[in-house]
Amino acid sequence: MAAQAEFSPAAPAFVSRSDGSPFPPKALSADAAPFSPLGPDGWQPGPPSDAERQFIRCSAKLRALRPDSSQLRDELNLLFDQLLSENYNRTFNPNISIRPEDVCSLLKHASSLVPLNQEHLVVKLCQLVHHLLNQLKVIMDELTLDVLVNYTIRGLKVCSAWTHSDVLLALSTIVYGNGPQCHQHLSDLLGEDGVLLVYSSPSQPDMELRRVALTCMANICLRIPGQPPLDDQYKSVCFRVFLKTLQSLRPPDTDELFYCMLIQAALKGLQSCLSGGKWKFGGGEELGSAFATLKRLMFQGTPGVSVEWPAVLYPAPLPQYEGLSSLKPPEPPKTTEPPKNAAAQGKSSGNKKRKSRGKVKKMSAEEIKGNDGEEEDTEDMAVAQKAATGGRGKEGSGGEGGSLSKPFAPSLYPSWKQSSSDSEFSDPEGGAQSKLRLYHGRVRQGALYCLLAVVKGVEKRTLYGYWSSFIPESPIGGPPPLTLLTIILKDPSPKVRACALQVLSAMLDGSRQFLGVAEDTASPRTSYTPFSFSLATAIRELHRALSLALLAETSPQTLTQIIKCLAYLVANAPYHRLKPGLLSPLWRQLRHYVRHRDVNVRVSVLTLYGALVTTQAPLPEVQLLLRQPENSSTGAGSFTPQDSTLSWRQRDGVSSPSRTPVTHSPHNPHTPREEDSSPPWLLQLCVSLVTQPREDQSDSEGAGSGGAAALEHSPVRLEALQVLSHLVRGYFTLCQPCLYEIGQVSARCLSETDPSIQLHGTKLLEELGTGIIQQYRAENNIPESVRVPMSLVVQFWSDVLSGPLNAALQNEQHPTLQTSACDTLSSILPQAFAQLPEKTQLMCITVLLGLTYSENYLVKTAAVRALGVYILFPCLREDVMFVADTANTILAALDDWSANVRAKAAWSLGNLTDTLTVNMESVGVDFQEELSDMLLLKMLQAATKASADKDRVKCHAVRALGNLLHFLRQSQMTRSVFQRPLEDAVRALVKTVKSEATMKVRWNACYALGNAFRNPALPLDSAPWSEDAFSALCHVVTSCKNFKVRIKSATALAVPAQRSCYGDTERFNCVWRSLATALENSEDTNDFLEYRYSASLRHTLSQALLHLLSVCQAQDMPAIGASLAGEEGKGIRVHLVKYLRAEEGGVGGAEEEKDVGADSSNPQQRLRGLQQTLIRLKTLKAEGERSQEEESHKEVVVEFLEDLLKSCEE
């Protein structure tokens, strides 16, 4: 792209006319302006501006010139001067509508008229190229780009050195965002001895040329969204140049201000290389070098920092700390304090009090208002110049002149909040120093932006090794390390502090697995410090430093970043493994910012509260905080310096009663019983933010025209609704007394016109419904007295379903809202649904069935899923008509184009077939006979087809196949119309078991085969597909890497209740050998994660082997006896003894055992079953030619079982 922003051909701007009409009457005459058509927006273009007329005139003259003209040089000089004298910036002159093709045509023709030996004209042409492309934001065509790049490259090679600065500037404008389009010129620019490499080299004496060359390379590397990236070869070349520039020291004869500009250009280039992709610039050494360089530049020009920086940062476990060779004293004058305080000046906490100028507190509010809203230059220069009146100055500078002021803040107050003296330089020096501080700040900001790009581009696992270089542990004596927290606490620029917070947030984002190792609940060892304890200490240091930053920050933008950073920390830290007490101070500190005048701060505070009630919920410390009454956390020691400005709705620490409804009077002491029954303060706050009008309309964001009746800003209300949802999800018991009130809030949200508010209202209802369902789940063992009473649940849903939720379900203009409303319908407690009026039940079912035909796939997905939930309701699953309607709807959805719809349809089909098997046992044959045979056939065929779909569809389709094969009756299987689909269904399951699909799919396929084997009508002994089914299960039980798949295959092999189901002797022996081999190899795995299932696998295999012994016949004895008589038998015996004694149980044992009846038995029942097997085997009579062999092996088996029984009874 040719300019610094995309150019969009603007329609002619609106032109204000004195007569108020867009079409004023015009008299017809020969002198009248020619007819011009309407613009694209229907308005007639306004008259061209002076700059536009000048451009048109000069462009026409320029195109009329020919290279052989005698006055060419003078004419070009004049035309170039006239074009350069105009301002084409649309910000100042919005009426300009110069077409990009006219600019391209002019520049191409001008370049053909200016020979390279006319260097003054070359310079003016380059200035014109930069002027037009930069101000008009022109997107050049490929021909113009090629002509201009070629012209400037030739100019750099031919023209004198004094012209190169302007030529390079023009080139940098031409190639802005157009790097990939310049591929034919990249070898001349960035190849070996390329012109840009020559000018950007550290050996280049002209610093201005070097700076512009770096800018040109940065513009080549810049990637515009939608454009292809620069080739990695050239990007790596640029990266090395940028990094080498940043690593090079300032030449002694170079002005520091100009050196900062050079570093800024290199940092912008480095950021362009790093942004929007993964790290591709080498291994550990290169990455460590980049980290070290950026860390050094993070502190460029920071007062009081003089450090011997390492050239490379190494990841842990090779810790590397900066050696503080000579820490500059913050102030030249000697201080009268003892030397022991010198180290403490670099820290952010302590017990001493500092002295500072008395006007700091008085001036803070005015400076907040004056500085934070201005541009970077004005803001940072103002901070630097006003350091003596409360701005951020040098650390420890409050010591000078301390006798003139009274101490007002403890030393934990960050030192940049103290005053600094302006006596270091005179007034003329002050302006230069301020400008230098400004440029240093820009360097630090650029370094942090580059670091942010590196953090986002490097793999998390690699990044964790460098944490100690940027996130400290708690300092133990000596000066604190220089880290991101140093910048957050002490940098004088709010923009730099905000950048550091963004980097820290990016490092914390997604670090839950890494931080999950942290633990400090136990006392650390004295001999060494475990990594888990060090990580816990780092988390505590982050809390401490960010709390201090929160206390002292005055910029609303930076304050927002601090709170967001805290939210990332809270969301990823393992507080259940840390000593309690980290969250309580933060919880109380945040309450003062809930009423901050800046809406972004208020939103971020609510986001942080949402993180607090989400992390590892329910967390005991958060539960305690939620139970505290509203006024318990306000009091001495909790006042913040910003109270005078941020508490614009809260005067003297007392909230307005109309804003925050309080159950009890804040002036009366609470009894413990009252505290338990009162709703959480956070819940009351969120309800008030959503429903109550704001009292004060003096918001800087605009109060609107509603006066006192205006509600909170939409982002605040949305975030408050999200916090309510988090509260209900994580701490339902505390929210339970306010169930009806929260439902009213949701109903009010659904009645509004804002779709976002409506959407969050439905999500809140869904969370309420889910919380009630969790209470009534049998496995949660929640006493009846603690649950929400059933009558209240029924009344709640009756009110909801008769309210505005119906409108949301039918709101076709907002499909996302319809989707969420469907999810809300699926969160109704089944027992409560049964007690709803029949009319209400019918409405829910009818709406869901209708929405499955929606054209929006999101709505269709949610509706199909909701039907899959409803089919499990006890009051609906026995209704044959509802089952049939739901089945037809699901079958239609299985043919949808969207994979999401098909996946949910397959899941719902699995639920529906689960219902069939339940009804088969509870209702009996009557239900099977009422259900249409053709509908069953369609479901079987649809599930078979879906088993060949994507894995997320397949995993549910195979489950449905297993249920259907279990459900089919003998009369149906014998019908010819069922025989081919039946065979296809079993072969689909066999194929899935053998496939390389995901383990969940194969697990479900094994389960499905076992489920099918439970059907006694299935011809396992004679069907042609039976051999393949047993063969697939035998193969998987011995060879699959995933132990859960092995467990399910072993379970399936133990399902057939009759010996005849296993087929002939060869097949039965194959099953036995496979199970025995699997038991012998049950600990062989290369994946450590599988070991947690090894005990459960042995448990299931032992049960399966005993099951085979219980059904075996005389012809099976030779194979079984040979197996038990050898070394294999000794191993089997050991595992069977453990199983019979119940000495071993896997982590997943209970989960895996529920599908096999014997698994849930106690040791006495298992021994009783073994005794019955032994009695049966003794009565077996061998017959036929091999009777003697069979009899002898039978004795081996009987002896083995007797010995086994004796061992278990000892």
Side-chain angles (χ1 to χ4, degrees), residues 213-277:
L214 289 170
T215 302
C216 192
M217 294 172 68
N219 289 350
I220 290 176
C221 294
L222 182 69
R223 182 181 179 184
I224 303 298
Q227 298 289 335
L230 184 67
D231 186 81
D232 288 343
Q233 171 192 350
Y234 295 111
K235 189 181 287 188
S236 297
V237 170
C238 294
F239 175 83
R240 289 193 294 269
V241 172
F242 295 138
L243 189 59
K244 189 175 182 180
T245 303
L246 297 174
Q247 291 171 336
S248 60
L249 299 177
R250 176 171 65 92
D253 58 342
T254 303
D255 179 68
E256 188 170 1
L257 199 65
F258 200 85
Y259 178 71
C260 286
M261 296 171 64
L262 179 73
I263 295 299
Q264 286 179 53
L267 285 171
K268 287 181 179 178
L270 192 66
Q271 185 182 356
S272 297
C273 289
L274 296 170
S275 296

Side-chain angles (χ1 to χ4, degrees), residues 859-871:
V859 179
K860 185 181 295 187
T861 302
V864 170
R865 176 191 170 275
L867 286 174
V869 173
Y870 277 29
I871 199 66

Side-chain angles (χ1 to χ4, degrees), residues 544 999 1029 1083:
R544 187 193 69 85
M999 294 307 168
E1083 294 183 357

Side-chain angles (χ1 to χ4, degrees), residues 961-1037:
L961 280 177
N963 285 328
L964 288 168
L965 292 173
H966 184 194
F967 183 78
L968 290 176
R969 291 174 289 138
Q970 178 75 34
S971 60
Q972 294 166 330
M973 293 185 188
T974 56
R975 293 179 58 184
S976 59
V977 71
F978 271 92
Q979 289 178 359
R980 181 60 185 270
L982 176 65
E983 182 178 352
D984 291 343
V986 177
R987 293 198 182 281
L989 291 178
V990 172
K991 181 180 178 181
T992 306
V993 169
K994 292 181 176 180
S995 70
E996 296 299 323
T998 59
M999 294 307 168
K1000 181 180 179 181
V1001 174
R1002 299 178 71 185
W1003 186 95
N1004 276 354
C1006 292
Y1007 173 86
L1009 278 177
N1011 199 6
F1013 289 173
R1014 286 186 170 85
N1015 189 343
L1018 208 62
L1020 289 176
D1021 53 343
S1022 59
W1025 42 259
S1026 182
E1027 175 68 28
D1028 293 336
F1030 279 103
S1031 175
L1033 291 172
C1034 290
H1035 174 73
V1036 167
V1037 81

Side-chain angles (χ1 to χ4, degrees), residues 475-553:
I476 308 175
L482 298 175
T483 62
L484 287 170
L485 298 184
T486 313
I487 299 174
I488 293 168
L489 287 171
K490 301 192 176 188
D491 197 282
S493 168
K495 293 184 183 294
V496 176
R497 297 195 299 273
C499 287
L501 287 160
Q502 290 181 45
V503 176
L504 181 56
S505 298
M507 294 180 71
L508 291 170
D509 186 20
S511 63
R512 184 175 302 171
Q513 185 176 4
F514 174 67
L515 293 180
V517 181
E519 184 175 14
D520 67 352
T521 52
S523 300
R525 299 173 183 264
T526 55
S527 56
Y528 73 97
T529 303
F531 176 69
S532 59
F533 187 81
S534 300
L535 207 54
T537 308
I539 293 174
R540 292 189 174 277
E541 177 63 10
L542 282 170
H543 266 277
R544 187 193 69 85
L546 291 174
S547 294
L548 284 175
L550 187 65
L551 181 74
E553 188 56 65

